[in-house]
């Protein structure tokens, strides 16, 4: 089992600098966001070597990472690197399999050119695809009738990844990473800054059972999305459908995708609701000083009460209007002892109804702040250190 995603943060890369040609290939790989590889330790194969020539890479796989060592030779940098795979993958020998099948000439290693900055990226992508097939083969060999059925019915789905999870204190497990929703999310969010398709995956972990049981254990299920996706749609807030006894994963995925599609479309519609709320701020507060123009998640307005001037920050939740915006007041005239503007705690106890139109929502907030700002002004005045 590869380490968790949280453990995939780059290790210390301190060490001698990489040889220039090797460094160019590594930089090209790490700058390619379509495959978010992470760099681990760099070291030299020679004692007191001038250049580093080997490093560890965390390769994304099955919603996790596998760690492989890439061993160049600084004395002969034109030679392709050796690759050391992780523990437990001793049977993964892709180059041997290529030779046995007579396909050695199809590997990017047959055309290796250290002067091509894409060389390492091509190698990692090739090995990763072969590793996906290797893990599928391992899972298909598991002596578990129920898992064999799951594999036969879902592995044909494009983009699915699966792996064995060996454990010492309980039966081994099989993990599925299933891509969901064949939707172009960029079309649902006009103007979004996403450069690459955003994905939602279902992670399903099944225990391996070597004994027949009329009632199989339900898998552990979890939704996982790309980080950028969470600013538009929170998978953590999705309530997964119940797994019914006798259900198979192909059946579950169909039900989940239908429900998820409706929620994603609703999240898209919520952007319009948030935008109309921000637009309704102008008549009461004046034009916002700042506002999120794409996802409409936040806005800031300037407000005045007598001679007291303050900012109102609005954080608009994804579940708007079912959930009301969170307000934070910030004084334009008072700072604490560190010179930082004084702010209030978050406020969400003002009158609210999701059935109100945006104009009424803003008017109720405005009326609430007419009184609340006096409390905040007193709080700021009490919190300012006395002048000497």
């Amino acid at each position: 089992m590869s380490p968790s995603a949280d453990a995939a943060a780059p290790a210390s890369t301190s060490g001698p600098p990489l040889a220039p040609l090797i460094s160019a290939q590594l930089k090209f790989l790490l700058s390619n966001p379509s495959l978010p590889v992470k760099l681990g330790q760099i070291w030299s194969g020679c004692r007191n070597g001038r250049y580093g020539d080997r490093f560890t890479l965390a390769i994304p796989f099955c919603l996790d990472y596998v760690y492989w060592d890439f061993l160049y030779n600084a004395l002969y940098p034109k030679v392709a690197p050796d690759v050391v795979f992780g523990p437990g993958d001793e049977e993964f020998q892709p180059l041997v399999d290529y030779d046995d099948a007579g396909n050695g000439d199809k590997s990017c290693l047959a055309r290796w050119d250290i002067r091509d900055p894409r060389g390492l990226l091509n190698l990692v992508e090739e090995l990763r695809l072969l590793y996906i097939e290797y893990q599928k083969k391992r899972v298909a060999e598991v002596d578990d009738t129920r898992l064999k059925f799951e594999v036969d019915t879902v592995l044909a789905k494009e983009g699915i990844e699966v792996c064995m999870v060996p454990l010492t204190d309980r039966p081994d497990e099989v993990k599925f990473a299933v891509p969901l929703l064949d939707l172009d999310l960029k079309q649902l969010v006009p103007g979004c800054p996403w450069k690459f398709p955003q994905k939602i995956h279902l992670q399903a972990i099944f225990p391996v059972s070597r004994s027949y049981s009329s009632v199989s254990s339900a898998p552990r299920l979890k939704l996982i999305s790309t980080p950028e996706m969470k600013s538009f749609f929170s998978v953590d807030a999705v309530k997964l459908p119940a797994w019914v006894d006798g259900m198979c994963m192909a059946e579950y995925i169909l039900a989940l995708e239908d429900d998820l599609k409706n929620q994603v479309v609703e999240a898209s519609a919520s952007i319009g609701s948030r935008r109309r709320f921000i637009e309704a701020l102008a008549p009461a507060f004046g034009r916002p000083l700042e506002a999120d123009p794409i996802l409409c998640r936040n806005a800031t307005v300037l407000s005045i009460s007598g001679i007291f001037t303050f900012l109102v920050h609005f954080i608009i939740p994804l579940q708007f209007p079912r959930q009301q915006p969170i307000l934070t007041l910030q004084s334009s005239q008072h700072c604490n002892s560190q010179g930082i503007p004084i702010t209030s705690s978050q406020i969400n106890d003002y009158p609210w109804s999701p059935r109100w139109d945006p104009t009424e929502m803003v008017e109720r907030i405005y009326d609430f702040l007419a009184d609340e700002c006096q409390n905040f002004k007193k709080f700021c005045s009490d919190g300012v250190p006395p002048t000497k």
Side-chain angles (χ1 to χ4, degrees):
M1 172 61 180
S2 52
S4 68
D6 292 338
S12 171
T13 57
S14 59
L18 288 170
L21 291 174
I22 300 172
S23 177
Q25 288 198 339
L26 178 61
K27 288 180 179 178
F28 188 89
L29 168 68
L30 297 178
S31 65
N32 189 323
S34 63
L35 185 65
V37 173
K38 297 180 183 292
L39 174 63
Q41 187 70 39
I42 298 175
W43 71 98
S44 173
C46 300
R47 181 175 297 179
N48 300 322
R50 177 183 178 186
Y51 290 115
D53 55 4
R54 46 203 64 194
F55 44 81
T56 300
L57 294 178
I59 314 295
F61 168 70
C62 206
L63 303 178
D64 212 322
Y65 290 86
V66 289
Y67 288 74
W68 297 342
D69 294 334
F70 288 77
L71 313 179
Y72 287 81
N73 188 329
L75 299 177
Y76 303 96
K78 294 183 179 181
V79 178
D82 291 327
V83 184
V84 179
F85 303 108
D89 288 328
E90 291 79 6
E91 296 181 5
F92 179 50
Q93 300 177 346
L95 300 184
V96 173
D97 294 340
Y98 261 169
D99 284 342
D100 292 345
N103 295 326
D105 59 332
K106 294 184 178 180
S107 171
C108 66
L109 291 175
R111 301 173 299 280
W112 183 261
D113 183 356
I114 189 62
R115 295 168 297 181
D116 182 358
R118 299 169 298 177
L120 180 59
L121 173 63
N122 292 337
L123 177 59
V124 170
E125 289 179 334
E126 177 180 312
L127 293 176
R128 184 179 179 279
L129 289 175
L130 292 171
Y131 189 73
I132 290 172
E133 296 305 314
Y134 160 74
Q135 285 288 350
K136 287 181 179 179
K137 182 179 177 182
R138 286 188 65 191
V139 172
E141 295 172 349
V142 169
D143 185 18
D144 184 319
T145 304
R146 185 265 189 91
L147 274 174
K148 285 183 179 293
F149 175 78
E150 298 287 4
V151 169
D152 292 340
T153 54
V154 302
L155 277 191
K157 185 176 177 66
E158 184 178 356
I160 192 171
E161 296 179 6
V162 63
C163 69
M164 289 295 302
V165 184
L167 301 170
T168 57
D169 57 341
R170 61 181 188 273
D172 293 348
E173 296 175 334
V174 171
K175 179 169 70 172
F176 291 81
V178 184
L180 303 171
L181 295 182
D182 186 17
L183 290 176
D184 186 355
L185 295 175
K186 294 186 71 172
Q187 296 295 326
L188 295 176
V189 188
C192 69
W194 304 330
K195 294 182 179 179
F196 293 91
Q198 300 300 304
K199 299 289 186 182
I200 301 176
H201 285 82
L202 172 67
Q203 176 181 277
I205 301 178
F206 289 83
V208 176
S209 175
R210 291 180 173 81
S211 60
Y212 175 78
S213 174
S214 58
V215 180
S216 301
S217 300
R220 301 198 307 276
L221 303 168
K222 183 180 180 181
L223 286 181
I224 298 176
S225 71
T226 46
E228 296 86 352
M229 179 77 176
K230 294 182 179 180
S231 62
F232 160 66
F233 177 73
S234 176
V235 297
D236 298 331
V238 174
K239 184 177 181 180
L240 291 172
W243 182 279
V244 181
D245 289 344
M247 178 178 279
C248 69
M249 192 156 62
E251 179 184 5
Y252 185 83
I253 291 171
L254 287 175
L256 174 59
E257 285 193 315
D258 285 343
D259 184 46
L260 202 56
K261 182 176 181 179
N262 291 334
Q263 294 189 52
V264 169
V265 171
E266 183 180 335
S268 176
S270 179
I271 296 176
S273 298
R274 296 196 295 269
R275 178 172 287 109
R276 289 188 290 274
F277 175 80
I278 291 176
E279 291 170 348
L281 293 173
F285 291 93
R287 185 174 180 178
L289 301 179
E290 296 179 340
D292 175 2
I294 298 175
L295 297 174
C296 304
R297 293 291 311 280
N298 55 71
T300 297
V301 297
L302 179 66
S303 191
I304 300 174
S305 175
I307 62 171
F308 180 47
T309 305
F310 60 98
L311 300 176
V312 184
H313 301 289
F314 294 80
I315 299 176
I316 311 173
L318 292 174
Q319 291 76 24
F320 179 90
R322 291 197 305 273
Q323 293 183 9
Q324 64 202 92
I326 297 173
L327 313 181
T328 303
L329 309 185
Q330 177 183 322
S331 175
S332 301
Q333 300 167 284
H334 303 84
C335 296
N336 60 19
S337 57
Q338 286 77 42
I340 301 173
I342 296 178
T343 60
S344 69
S345 56
Q346 293 185 338
I347 303 169
N348 63 354
D349 58 351
Y350 54 86
W352 181 261
S353 171
R355 294 182 294 275
W356 293 338
D357 61 54
T359 299
E360 183 171 0
M361 292 174 179
V362 172
E363 289 176 348
R364 295 293 189 103
I365 293 174
Y366 186 87
D367 292 341
F368 169 81
L369 289 178
D371 295 327
E372 182 64 23
C373 72
Q374 300 304 318
N375 297 327
F376 179 56
K377 179 182 178 181
K378 183 177 185 303
F379 170 77
C380 292
S381 299
D382 293 344
V384 174
T387 57
K388 295 183 180 179

